Amino acid sequence: SGGGRSYLATCERLSANRWEKLPDMPTARTACAAVCPGSSRLLVTGGRRGYDALSSVELLQRSPTGVWQWRRLAPMLTARCYHDMALFRGCVIVAGGLYFAGCVGRSSFCF
């Protein structure tokens, strides 16, 4: 936590109008972005803990046996929070956001 705050790592899925608890993210955070690059996958990038922007990238994936598991992927080139993320022509695009001392980021990249 930072500044008296507690950052969440929890993850939940809405299915048939009911919430289901999924495994906690490896990194607790706020101000992150998420996108679903497939029916059984969730990609979470960046965010912040305290005053630090994060570059972490974590993938939640469901195995053929139905078990959900998180996996850490290569970090982003730029730590960022409050950014946007989208799927475009088979790629995950991350753009903008904030980094060091609240400056606006202008970079983007593709997974």
Side-chain angles (χ1 to χ4, degrees):
S1 73
R5 298 180 185 104
S6 293
Y7 296 94
L8 296 176
T10 58
C11 188
E12 303 169 6
R13 178 176 84 126
L14 180 63
S15 178
N17 203 31
R18 294 191 60 165
W19 287 99
E20 167 192 357
K21 178 155 177 30
L22 295 173
D24 286 352
M25 293 183 291
T27 306
R29 64 184 81 211
T30 187
C32 56
V35 70
C36 294
S39 62
S40 297
R41 301 185 326 166
L42 174 70
L43 188 71
V44 177
T45 61
R48 62 179 266 216
R49 284 181 60 116
Y51 297 105
D52 297 323
L54 302 173
S55 62
S56 60
V57 177
E58 297 165 355
L59 177 70
L60 178 63
Q61 194 164 14
R62 190 156 122 185
S63 72
T65 60
V67 177
W68 291 95
Q69 290 185 311
W70 285 99
R71 189 172 69 150
R72 291 179 196 250
L73 302 180
M76 295 185 291
L77 300 175
T78 304
R80 61 183 78 219
C81 55
Y82 301 105
H83 55 292
D84 289 310
M85 186 164 51
L87 293 173
F88 180 71
R89 296 186 180 176
C91 287
V92 173
I93 306 292
V94 176
L98 300 177
Y99 62 93
F100 184 76
C103 299
V104 176
R106 299 191 197 301
S107 61
S108 62
F109 71 99
C110 178
F111 280 98

